[in-house]
Amino acid sequence: EVQLVESGGGLVQPGGSLRLSCAASGFIFRGYFMSWVRQAPGKGLEWLANIKQDGSVRYNVDSVKGRFTISRDNAKNSLYLQMNSLRAEDTAVYYCVRVNEQQLVSFDYWGQGTLVTVSS
Amino acid sequence: DIQMTQTPASVSASVGDRVTITCRASEGIGSWLAWYQQKPGKAPRLLIYAASSLQSGVPSRFSGSGSGTDFTLTISSLQPEDFAIYYCQQPNSFPITFGQGTRLEIK
């Protein structure tokens, strides 16, 4: 069974940093693109970043470029999101997502999400 | 960026009804479109990929169609568990974008 379990969320002050982790199991992690998606309270879904299987290629949405960095450790079956210079508008539930290239890059498995609250 | 516009924003329907949700892309995306269902407090769930392919385990009352800029998600006979928010998504080009969502409510 595919499982994605996020951790690392919490309350952080504006300007602060946080590192989210996602532990993957039930599939060959190194064989998949991975992604982070967030959802602000009561709002829609916002894609943040993708990372290729070997970590060599990464894509970011402009709103987090230069502040958020996606990375992975295939030996630990883990995905990460380093978030710096956090702002109030970064408050959201952050989802770790598996990307299925065989299904036209659909997001086929999602974690349960971890809540990040940016507030003083 | 490719903008994804869903209509309607919300719809009320009854169990057994047929419901159609529309998604329009601001430029052509071929068949690079997916549909997701999200229930309160839960992560989104993939329903349809490649515009019309049903994800494994998704009931056959869900179907998708379209290509280019205009797409539809149809639920042929609503069940109580289908009341949720539905999102379309284009993974054709970066940044990947989602529609704003359509809330499906019980009439």
Side-chain angles (χ1 to χ4, degrees):
Chain A
E1 179 194 5
V2 173
Q3 284 199 322
L4 298 168
V5 181
E6 301 94 338
S7 60
L11 176 63
V12 61
Q13 292 189 338
S17 298
L18 213 53
R19 188 196 197 203
L20 305 183
S21 299
C22 171
S25 60
F27 66 103
I28 301 174
F29 180 72
R30 66 180 181 275
Y32 286 84
F33 255 91
M34 296 295 294
S35 183
W36 287 99
V37 174
R38 71 181 177 185
Q39 186 171 37
K43 301 298 184 183
L45 301 168
E46 180 184 25
W47 169 79
L48 296 177
N50 272 19
I51 186 166
K52 202 176 175 183
Q53 288 86 333
D54 61 0
S56 62
V57 179
R58 312 173 189 187
Y59 304 93
N60 288 87
V61 69
D62 284 348
S63 61
V64 305
K65 206 164 283 186
R67 300 190 300 124
F68 290 11
T69 301
I70 187 172
S71 64
R72 64 191 296 160
D73 185 337
N74 288 339
K76 294 183 177 180
N77 290 337
S78 293
L79 179 72
Y80 306 101
L81 186 68
Q82 178 67 43
M83 304 187 294
N84 299 330
S85 303
L86 283 161
R87 308 165 181 167
E89 55 263 36
D90 295 318
T91 294
V93 174
Y94 286 73
Y95 293 103
C96 167
V97 184
R98 191 181 84 166
V99 181
N100 193 330
E101 291 178 280
Q102 304 305 314
Q103 295 183 174
L104 285 196
V105 198
S106 60
F107 290 9
D108 65 351
Y109 284 94
W110 298 60
Q112 85 287 351
T114 188
L115 176 63
V116 172
T117 303
V118 184
S119 175
S120 55
Chain B
D1 298 2
I2 297 176
Q3 307 301 318
M4 306 300 291
T5 303
Q6 289 181 232
T7 53
S10 66
V11 57
S12 294
S14 301
V15 172
D17 284 353
R18 179 184 181 91
V19 171
T20 297
I21 298 169
T22 297
C23 179
R24 174 164 288 177
S26 61
E27 59 187 83
I29 57 173
S31 294
W32 291 72
L33 185 104
W35 289 97
Y36 300 85
Q37 176 194 65
Q38 187 178 32
K39 296 181 179 180
K42 300 293 187 182
R45 170 197 182 196
L46 175 65
L47 299 175
I48 301 286
Y49 64 93
S52 60
S53 297
L54 194 67
Q55 174 67 354
S56 176
V58 174
S60 59
R61 62 181 180 273
F62 291 92
S63 64
S65 65
S67 67
T69 60
D70 294 308
F71 302 86
T72 59
L73 172 71
T74 299
I75 310 171
S76 59
S77 178
L78 276 172
Q79 298 302 301
E81 60 267 29
D82 299 337
F83 293 94
I85 298 176
Y86 293 84
Y87 295 94
C88 62
Q89 176 214 34
Q90 68 79 19
N92 177 67
S93 63
F94 292 105
I96 294 169
T97 47
F98 292 88
Q100 80 280 14
T102 294
R103 183 181 299 272
L104 177 52
E105 299 173 320
I106 301 174
K107 184 182 287 184

